[in-house]
Amino acid sequence: MPWLRPGLILGALVPLAAMIVGTVRGTLGANPIAEVINELGLIALVFLIAGLACSPLRWAFGWTWPIRLRRDLGLLAFFYALLHFLVYVVLDQGVDLGIIVEDVVQRPFITVGFLALLLMVPLAWTSTSGWVRRLGYQTWTRLHQLVYVAGILAVIHFLWRVKIDISQPMLYATILGALLLARVAFWLRGRQMRKA
């Protein structure tokens, strides 16, 4: 399926293009900056969870094609998370480092979101096959298990950000919880088989 990766990347850029068009046309509501920040963060979370779903899909259905997209999904999650943070820093706070540091320290939902982004930096940096060879597969695998922590922190960030209707962040929390439980179940089954 040579079209798979280009199709994913092209499709992943559609929401960004829609936000740019909406900004130019002035159709993003009364607070377009907040709207863009929220949308970028949600898209980052969607790609992060999609990346975490690749292995469970292979285990459950025998599909191999999601694994080919796992790295791209992770990089897209980081790309949108970085844009989410940069729009907050540049457009929302005007690069006022004092206010930004104060927000990160004093507002818990920003603290956990910032930590999630920081954890994604080494994952994106070491996502290439060259880094697998440099670090060794086991070390590389252990490092990339940070994605589970990043996913949990991202969901907490979303949950704490929403003040009234938490149904949407709870949906993502449920999906993430199911994916993590599937991984635990697969690990336990593998451990039992090794003992047998």
Side-chain angles (χ1 to χ4, degrees):
M1 294 185 284
W3 51 267
L4 198 58
R5 289 186 66 206
L8 170 66
I9 293 168
L10 185 63
L13 294 176
V14 169
L16 182 58
M19 277 182 268
I20 293 171
V21 171
T23 301
V24 172
R25 291 183 176 176
T27 58
L28 294 182
N31 192 343
I33 293 175
E35 182 70 20
V36 169
I37 290 173
N38 292 337
E39 286 299 314
L40 290 172
L42 181 59
I43 295 166
L45 181 59
V46 167
F47 281 121
L48 187 58
I49 290 177
L52 288 171
C54 292
S55 291
L57 286 173
R58 182 183 62 183
W59 303 332
F61 303 106
W63 298 342
T64 57
W65 61 265
I67 299 300
R68 300 179 211 165
L69 299 178
R70 184 167 52 187
R71 179 171 63 181
D72 296 314
L73 289 167
L75 289 173
L76 286 166
F78 176 69
F79 171 71
Y80 273 103
L82 187 60
L83 284 181
H84 172 69
F85 179 67
L86 289 176
V87 171
Y88 159 75
V89 168
V90 177
L91 299 182
D92 191 44
Q93 301 298 337
V95 201
D96 188 327
L97 295 181
I99 293 177
I100 294 166
V101 170
E102 184 178 334
D103 268 358
V104 170
V105 171
Q106 296 185 0
R107 302 176 75 185
F109 86 92
I110 294 180
T111 305
V112 296
F114 184 65
L115 288 174
L117 178 62
L118 286 181
L119 289 178
M120 293 173 73
V121 171
L123 305 184
W125 186 264
T126 61
S127 64
T128 64
S129 300
W131 273 104
V132 178
R133 290 191 296 271
R134 287 181 206 173
L135 296 174
Y137 181 73
Q138 288 187 346
T139 302
W140 184 88
T141 300
R142 282 195 294 270
L143 173 64
H144 279 253
Q145 287 173 348
L146 288 174
V147 71
Y148 307 136
V149 183
I152 292 168
L153 291 175
V155 166
I156 292 171
H157 171 68
F158 189 18
L159 188 60
W160 287 353
R161 171 67 181 85
V162 176
K163 295 180 176 64
I164 301 173
D165 183 7
I166 62 168
S167 58
Q168 190 179 29
M170 284 303 297
L171 173 63
Y172 287 99
T174 302
I175 295 169
L176 178 63
L179 292 174
L180 294 179
L181 284 174
R183 288 175 177 274
V184 170
F186 182 80
W187 178 79
L188 290 173
R189 188 178 70 174
R191 188 177 178 185
Q192 289 175 348
M193 289 176 66
R194 285 192 297 271
K195 287 182 177 179

